[in-house]
Amino acid sequence: MSIKAIIFDFDGTICNTGEGIMKSAKYALDSHNIPCGEWEELSFFIGPPLLVTFQEKFNLEVSTASELVKKFRERYGKTGVYESCLYDGIYDLIKSLKAGGFKLAIASSKPKAYISELLGRFEIAEYFDVVCGVSFTADCESKQSIIARAIDGLKVSNDEAIVVGDKFYDIDGAKANSVKSVGVLWGFGTKFELIESAADFIAEKPGDVEAIALDLFERTDNVQGIFSGRVITVHEDDITLCNGRTSKRECVDHPGGVAVIGITDNDEVLLVRQFRYPYKEVIYEIPAGKLEKGEDPFEAGKREFKEECGAVAEEYFSLGEIYPSPGYTNEIIRLYGAKNIHFEEQNLDEDEFLQVKKMKFDTLIEKIMCGEIKDAKTVAAALKLNQLLNK
């Protein structure tokens, strides 16, 4: 599969527009005293043409449905269009795909004027080569036709594109154009719906779309639990590779961790020295700890900094995230820097034994570069902080 272009649905795929759509649908139905329940129950309005939905779901004549579409737009154009947000990870996905040389398009049953308004609002309009929506006077165009227009505008062949959407309309429209499809699970459709409509791929998170486009995606077919402990779980998964062959992956699930590199007014870094059982060594590292379920990483970082070093900072700042060993674990460590530090009481766990040491920052960098300090989170945090301070 050699993909050159990705065609995205909009509502439920790029943007969570559900609240504005459902509230505007209820506004229209209420205006005609048509019983419809609460606005949260009107998710079936998301995706298909409004005129069709009003007719099919409420058994209305075309004339009445047309009046309801006008009432819908009365509210949506003023208020509903702004009751929306990008899904988490979408901005980074779009930016990365564009940087990777892919052509990008939108194929949506939403009026193009609304799409353009939201693309501008969320500052992603520049990344799309083609935007295909409908007009206010002709809003019953099929998804098949809209996708066909997008392919034509992108100037690629059908086998060089993939369609990404959250509903069966998107998958059916892709198949009608002989285009591969990706069903996403963060929108308004269901996994069963996407499987039943025979989506070629199922994406659990936005990053999966890029993996599919790059022909690197590995699909999980079965998960077999092996061990469940206090901190980690271990499982062996049956997978299908991008070339269609099957294989296995042994994985360690970890809740993730935080680490803080604190630098004093004397340019000293706070380190802890402790025995690390897996390596059977005493090593230097910055204070760190695992995340509790549902815990905010920033708050966890401050907690660990105080518990291990008795240190409290007036200023904390993010140094990003690292994947310590992506070959077998999904652990993510969030890194933070800390400045303007004062000291309070240390509060170690009962089974935690460590020594707090201060080391000149320049000395820490030297020990990292000569290989004397090997802890991954300490290396990453120190080099990031060094780069930041020397800008």
Side-chain angles (χ1 to χ4, degrees):
M1 186 169 72
S2 180
I3 298 302
K4 295 182 179 180
I6 299 96
I7 301 169
F8 288 92
D9 172 49
F10 191 76
D11 295 335
T13 303
I14 295 287
C15 193
N16 184 352
T17 55
E19 181 179 345
I21 291 172
M22 290 185 286
K23 284 184 175 179
S24 299
K26 180 167 174 57
Y27 172 83
L29 291 163
D30 286 348
S31 73
H32 282 59
N33 297 314
I34 299 173
C36 62
E38 300 299 322
W39 67 266
E40 293 92 343
E41 302 171 41
L42 302 177
S43 61
F44 48 80
F45 275 96
I46 303 165
L50 289 171
L51 188 63
V52 172
T53 305
F54 279 123
Q55 290 179 81
E56 292 184 349
K57 295 295 184 180
F58 296 92
N59 195 28
L60 300 174
E61 299 292 334
V62 174
S63 58
T64 304
S66 297
E67 292 175 11
L68 289 172
V69 170
K70 291 179 182 177
K71 291 301 283 187
F72 174 97
R73 289 175 178 158
E74 181 178 282
R75 182 190 185 277
Y76 192 80
K78 296 178 180 178
T79 305
V81 67
Y82 303 110
E83 295 169 326
S84 57
C85 62
L86 289 181
Y87 285 103
D88 289 343
I90 287 295
Y91 180 84
D92 291 338
L93 169 65
I94 297 300
K95 186 176 179 181
S96 181
L97 288 172
K98 197 63 182 175
F102 290 100
K103 294 182 177 181
L104 304 181
I106 287 173
S108 172
S109 296
K110 194 181 195 72
K112 184 177 179 181
Y114 292 149
I115 299 171
S116 298
E117 169 76 17
L118 290 172
L119 291 177
R121 182 186 181 199
F122 297 123
E123 299 181 349
I124 57 173
E126 64 183 289
Y127 298 112
F128 289 93
D129 302 281
V130 174
V131 176
C132 294
V134 299
S135 68
F136 291 122
T137 56
D139 60 354
C140 282
E141 184 180 4
S142 70
K143 203 59 181 277
Q144 175 184 351
S145 173
I146 299 170
I147 291 172
R149 286 199 286 119
I151 295 170
D152 185 60
L154 289 168
K155 293 179 172 54
V156 295
S157 62
N158 294 45
D159 59 358
E160 291 175 327
I162 56 173
V163 170
V164 181
D166 68 313
K167 299 284 289 181
F168 73 89
Y169 302 102
D170 307 303
I171 310 305
D172 290 350
K175 290 190 177 304
N177 283 284
S178 300
V179 176
K180 294 285 188 181
S181 59
V182 181
V184 306
L185 298 183
W186 58 82
F188 300 103
T190 65
K191 187 173 185 178
F192 177 79
E193 172 186 338
L194 297 171
I195 292 173
E196 191 175 47
S197 58
D200 294 292
F201 303 93
I202 302 292
E204 296 184 2
K205 59 185 186 300
D208 291 346
V209 174
E210 184 171 24
I212 292 166
L214 292 169
D215 206 16
L216 297 174
F217 187 64
E218 296 180 354
R219 187 185 74 221
T220 303
D221 298 318
N222 182 58
V223 177
Q224 177 65 48
I226 297 174
F227 170 78
S228 181
R230 292 186 303 109
V231 178
I232 65 168
T233 59
V234 182
H235 51 96
E236 183 181 64
D237 298 356
D238 298 318
I239 67 163
T240 298
L241 300 168
C242 52
N243 62 1
R245 294 182 179 179
T246 59
S247 186
K248 292 183 180 292
R249 294 283 184 261
E250 295 176 350
C251 302
V252 176
D253 288 343
H254 189 284
V258 292
V260 179
I261 181 167
I263 187 165
T264 69
D265 293 340
N266 295 324
D267 285 332
E268 292 177 321
V269 174
L270 300 179
L271 299 174
V272 296
R273 198 178 187 198
Q274 59 186 318
F275 185 80
R276 285 303 195 181
Y277 185 81
Y279 293 101
K280 302 295 193 294
E281 287 184 27
V282 174
I283 68 172
Y284 282 105
E285 56 189 290
I286 57 176
K290 70 178 181 65
L291 281 169
E292 301 298 335
K293 186 176 181 179
E295 187 175 20
D296 176 72
F298 179 63
E299 295 301 322
K302 293 194 292 183
R303 169 176 54 77
E304 292 293 338
F305 196 45
K306 184 177 186 302
E307 287 181 357
E308 294 195 357
C309 296
V312 177
E314 293 181 14
E315 180 184 352
Y316 294 91
F317 49 94
S318 174
L319 290 172
E321 302 176 345
I322 59 170
Y323 294 176
S325 192
Y328 69 89
T329 180
N330 62 1
E331 181 183 10
I332 300 173
I333 300 177
R334 283 81 172 179
L335 304 176
Y336 297 95
K339 297 170 65 176
N340 300 323
I341 299 167
H342 68 272
F343 293 91
E344 298 179 1
E345 185 178 352
Q346 190 183 42
N347 184 26
L348 299 176
D349 295 334
E350 290 183 359
D351 61 348
E352 193 172 27
F353 301 92
L354 54 82
Q355 299 172 348
V356 179
K357 299 291 184 180
K358 294 180 181 179
M359 184 181 292
K360 284 291 187 181
F361 189 46
D362 288 345
T363 302
L364 172 61
I365 298 299
E366 290 172 4
K367 289 182 177 293
I368 287 172
M369 296 307 296
C370 74
E372 187 175 337
I373 290 180
K374 305 172 185 177
D375 174 62
K377 62 184 177 295
T378 303
V379 172
L383 295 182
K384 280 192 165 192
L385 181 60
N386 189 51
Q387 178 72 15
L388 187 65
L389 294 177
N390 288 323
K391 278 188 176 180

